[in-house]
Amino acid sequence: MSTTLDTICAMTRSVEDCILVDSIIADNALSIPDLPLAGLRLAVPSTLMLDALDPHVAASFSAALSRLSAAGAKIIDMPFTLLDEAADLNKFSGAESFAWHRGLLANREAEYDARVAKRIRTGAAMSAADYIDLHRKRREWITRMEDALGPFDSLIMPTTPLVAPPIAELEASEDAFFKANGLLLRNPSTINLLDGCAVSVPCHDEGTLPVGLMIAGPAMADRKVLAVARAIESALQS
């Protein structure tokens, strides 16, 4: 989809297993410090990341925050208004996917999912000058975001604002599909735009639909993010 934004991730049973996978991929055993949860400064970005939460996600996330606060974490609600700029910057996928797929689309478009092909073709309209300018604006935004993140140990937020939606409505309506698709991608893709790193851990009650709590930081903060995620996971499981 995007040479700028595509990234590797792993789905594991625990943060500890994620650390193991990271060590294998990097061919370098990670040394992750044991951070006590008490005293960690965890920022909750109220701009964008908490918009349009469905009731189950909102309740699960709120309950998780209460448990983390009770365990001594400092939960700090912050607007992070810089996040308002993300939508205008997160436009790499169309141009980059079209550059990669245009030959295949010309000869084999019938083999593509029609909605996927439609999204890819939106990238044909971006000029080289606009693409270069977009990269410059993104680099500037990342610098400003990293400065704003400096006082905090991690950002925390719902991984997605929705639980997994029923598929029948999405198959029947293109509008419903793109609305749900945009919401499900929003929070992870914003951290992706930051060139950041993140871990998602479960925060829902057993027997209910899965809800993730995302722990995120800037680029090259893998060890810190993993350490904070391990502390949060332990608190939520206790």
Side-chain angles (χ1 to χ4, degrees), residues 42-58:
L42 306 177
V44 179
S46 55
T47 300
L48 184 68
M49 302 300 207
L50 302 184
D51 292 348
L53 301 186
D54 77 23
H56 179 51
V57 171

Side-chain angles (χ1 to χ4, degrees), residues 161-176:
L162 309 176
V163 295
I167 198 168
E169 179 185 354
L170 307 189
E171 288 181 329
S173 167
E174 190 168 279
D175 288 343

Side-chain angles (χ1 to χ4, degrees), residues 20 39 56 83 89 104 135 149 187-188 194 196 198 213 222 228 230:
L20 175 61
H56 179 51
L83 293 171
L89 294 171
L104 289 169
H135 271 286
L149 292 172
N187 291 6
L194 179 64
L213 183 149
D222 305 54
V228 174
R230 186 163 61 186

